[in-house]
Amino acid sequence: MQKPPLHPWFDVGDLAPVVELRSADGRTKPITRMAGRTAVVHVAVGPADPAPVAAALAARAGEFADAGADLYLVRHGGPEAVAGSPSDGLTALADPAGALAHNLHLEKPTTVVFDRASRLAAVLPLDDSPGDGPAGHAEACLALVRDRLPPERFREGPPVQAPVMVIPNVLSPEWCRWLIQVHDREGNAPSGFLQQVKGESVLLSDDEVKVRRDHVVPEGSPLEAEIRHIFSRRVIPEIARATHSPIQRHELFKIVRYEAEEGGHFRPHRDNTASAGRTRRFAVTLNLNTGDYDGGHLVFPEYGEVGYRPAAGEAVVFSCSLLHEARPVTRGTRYVLLAFLH
């Protein structure tokens, strides 16, 4: 298996590019102002008339709305370019500089989907859709929104949960599989834990506390640079948006394995109690696989028995001050990418 390429432009999982879109009356509408609901945005690229696909999407507007999504058409040009464009269930926006298509590296008509937090969730070129032309494309877009981005239903009061962030699509399935291979192929070793002993940080080993095998991504390696680049695009901006905390550096990334046959687990602990870790601000736990193991939940005991087990490619970000544990894996193998951010 070859290492998947790192897309040089905006890609799935990235926050929407900052571009200035305008309505027919000249008012600005950035992508980030679409937040709170899924945004299905057809970007008209090239000379083809976008009216047929816009009409096909608009014809399903009620179904998109029921799925928690709003529809948009973006055309290159000034506000006059969208004057008189179809408006029933679909908002037409002008892109004077063509910046959205440029940033997303679109070379043909494409519908892009942004999730509730303005992260790029999918890219669907018009001519790649199954079915019959614009109607088939609209059906493919609707199916994707229904299957992958279900709406959040209102409920009375929040559930009891730890103050954590769950960030989807940080790594693609290909990247997850590649990192698992790196762990297994390039070596790993039993993992210890830091503890303060007589005023000093000491690395200890105790199977009653922790059973895990780690592959440390070498400092200065191309892989470290690529993971850092991905974090700078998909993790750091989310932390800044939610906490106003500037992240200046990271510790070495670790690809780790919890094996059921070994009793893989990590008892409740905090990540910043030893002096060597007191400047740690946030921990990142990014699952590389899911569905092929049992147990292995991330639990924050101070906030109850809520277990977090995000999908492959998703990350849980939390303060290093929070008490947390990795519950035992009871079947199969759990792989995780770990990071500490300062």
Side-chain angles (χ1 to χ4, degrees):
M1 176 181 177
Q2 291 186 341
K3 181 173 64 175
L6 181 59
H7 201 292
W9 301 77
F10 285 84
D11 201 0
V12 171
D14 292 340
L15 284 173
V18 179
V19 298
E20 187 177 85
L21 305 176
R22 293 187 176 274
S23 58
D25 60 6
R27 296 182 181 180
T28 59
K29 179 83 170 184
I31 298 290
T32 51
R33 204 176 295 166
M34 302 174 186
R37 287 172 61 83
T38 299
V40 178
V41 185
H42 183 70
V43 186
V45 179
D49 183 5
V53 68
L57 290 168
R60 312 291 294 271
E63 295 170 88
F64 277 103
D66 289 342
D70 296 326
L71 296 172
Y72 299 89
L73 167 67
V74 173
R75 302 190 68 172
H76 187 191
E80 67 282 356
V82 295
S85 295
S87 58
D88 291 341
L90 181 145
T91 301
L93 298 171
D95 186 354
L100 184 58
H102 174 76
N103 279 282
L104 298 180
H105 200 47
L106 305 181
E107 298 179 343
K108 53 188 176 181
T110 301
T111 298
V112 295
V113 181
F114 297 97
D115 68 12
R116 293 166 55 89
S118 298
R119 291 181 291 253
L120 184 60
V123 179
L124 296 91
L126 177 59
D127 57 10
D128 286 356
S129 299
D132 183 22
H137 182 70
E139 176 63 32
C141 293
L142 183 58
L144 182 141
V145 169
R146 284 173 170 166
D147 292 345
R148 292 176 48 187
L149 296 164
E152 296 288 339
R153 302 300 183 188
F154 178 78
R155 56 167 289 161
E156 190 70 28
V160 176
Q161 65 179 50
V164 305
M165 300 170 57
V166 179
I167 306 176
N169 293 323
V170 176
L171 290 180
S172 68
E174 293 79 13
W175 267 101
C176 290
R177 290 193 291 269
W178 173 258
L179 293 181
I180 290 172
Q181 284 196 7
V182 169
H183 177 281
D184 291 344
R185 185 182 63 234
E186 298 187 11
N188 52 78
S191 178
F193 56 93
L194 285 174
Q195 187 166 309
Q196 199 73 4
V197 178
K198 296 182 179 179
E200 296 184 358
S201 295
V202 179
L203 185 64
L204 302 178
S205 177
D206 183 344
D207 287 353
E208 291 296 317
V209 176
K210 180 182 184 182
V211 176
R212 196 180 78 193
R213 296 191 69 87
D214 295 359
H215 170 85
V216 179
V217 177
E219 184 176 9
S221 66
L223 182 57
E224 183 202 36
E226 290 167 328
I227 296 173
R228 183 172 65 247
H229 185 61
I230 290 171
F231 271 48
S232 72
R233 289 161 59 166
R234 301 175 189 172
V235 176
I236 306 306
E238 296 284 4
I239 293 174
R241 177 161 63 174
T243 69
H244 294 278
S245 296
I247 300 301
Q248 298 178 339
R249 62 187 180 91
H250 64 85
E251 295 181 22
L252 293 176
F253 298 112
K254 295 179 181 179
I255 308 167
V256 310
R257 184 182 81 203
Y258 295 94
E259 185 80 47
E261 292 184 359
E262 300 173 350
H265 73 285
F266 196 172
R267 295 280 300 274
H269 63 284
R270 304 180 198 274
D271 289 325
N272 61 357
T273 53
S275 58
R278 283 181 182 158
T279 61
R280 292 172 172 172
R281 292 193 176 187
F282 297 97
V284 180
T285 294
L286 196 158
N287 271 14
L288 298 177
N289 67 322
T290 190
D292 48 1
Y293 63 90
D294 294 330
H297 292 85
L298 178 63
V299 177
F300 298 85
E302 295 165 306
Y303 297 88
E305 285 291 301
V306 178
Y308 294 81
R309 193 166 66 179
E314 290 187 345
V316 179
V317 181
F318 55 94
S319 167
C320 289
S321 299
L322 296 183
L323 186 71
H324 61 286
E325 62 178 306
R327 290 283 171 88
V329 173
T330 57
R331 178 190 66 86
T333 306
R334 177 189 178 211
Y335 291 90
V336 187
L337 175 66
L338 298 180
F340 291 118
L341 308 179
H342 298 248

